[in-house]
Amino acid sequence: MKSKSENSFPNSRLLKWYDGVKRDLPWRDTQDPYYIWLSEIILQQTRVDQGMPYYERFVETFPTVHDLANASEDEVLKLWEGLGYYSRARNLHATAKHVSQNLKGEFPNTHSGLLELKGVGPYTAAAIGSIAFNLPVAAVDGNVYRVLARYYGITESIDDTSTKKQIGELAQSILDTERSGDHNQAMMELGAMVCTPKQPDCKACPLQENCVAFRQEIQSELPVRTKKTKVRNRYFYYAVHFVDGQVPIHRRGEGDIWQGLYEFPLFESEKKLNEKQILELIEVSESDVVESISEEFKHVLSHQRIYSRFVLVKSDSRPNVKGKWVSVADLRSFAFPRLINRYLERSNLVIEGEVSNI
Ligand code: SF4
């Protein structure tokens, strides 16, 4: 492993660059661990521009960790709606309750203490710890792997545990412990804004002088990746039963995507179906009137691609389906996956309050 003096990492240039260009983000004005934790959880797997309005809504609705702890899960999921990876929202709520009830509202101020919180892994613990408490721990995420693999010209795959370990040790060895939080944020900012996956802006980079990838013009080849994510296709067919201005919905259970969110009665198929097959699958009775079968909605998750169609069925009596019957005018108060919201927006079902042709 390279030592700090050997690797000649230009820390002061990096921090000077960061001080000059850093984006004015609301969680950068505070050292309150509650706000920093909130921002870090929201920004996991989410771009800053997408996460910002959610952060602002959470801070406004739940100004303290106690407010968040006292909220219902439905309230939290509703506020999180559209951000995806809903386990983050459930962990967020569980952690808020734990901190509020068991830790008197105080977040742990050690790396190991932070790691014990639900939904907080090594990266997030290092980010929160360094920013809120100046703990000298390097935060290493995908951005940092990329920057350091390029800077040091690391040609082993960053999907290998040994390479990850090597880069983690390098990141720790170059950490500016006087300003740990700023250093970590500077590395992430650099990865997000300059040393981007495609076409890095090396001209604007404070690390350019000694960067191996830049010198050898191999930026596009680094970092090396070997693992391909396996993506599974799934086919969801929803039966939207409409009876006297109401439709049935239920909460999704554990062990699959979208836990805790609501949906219409779902029929999943292993393959794509045509309209006739869909109607057979969702068991439409003879007295039902099929108002419409929607176009296909596609929803891409990290390991799954969901293809979905919605069948709007008008009936005189309620079929025996699980869940509760709610007025279409009230649908907006429930948290649905983005896929279903897209259907609702497109179908005008909620706006009209009655069956509309799609
Ligand atoms: Fe990345 Fe280019 Fe900077 Fe090297 S010089 S760290 S490749 S942006």
Side-chain angles (χ1 to χ4, degrees), residues 147 150 194-195 200-202 205 207-208 211 213-214 219:
V147 171
R150 285 174 174 165
V194 176
C195 194
D201 186 6
C202 299
C205 180
L207 310 187
Q208 192 206 76
C211 174
F214 172 73
Q219 299 95 317

Side-chain angles (χ1 to χ4, degrees), residues 247-258:
V247 289
I249 59 170
H250 63 266
R251 242 181 202 285
R252 283 182 65 88
E254 289 180 19
D256 200 351
I257 55 171
W258 302 333

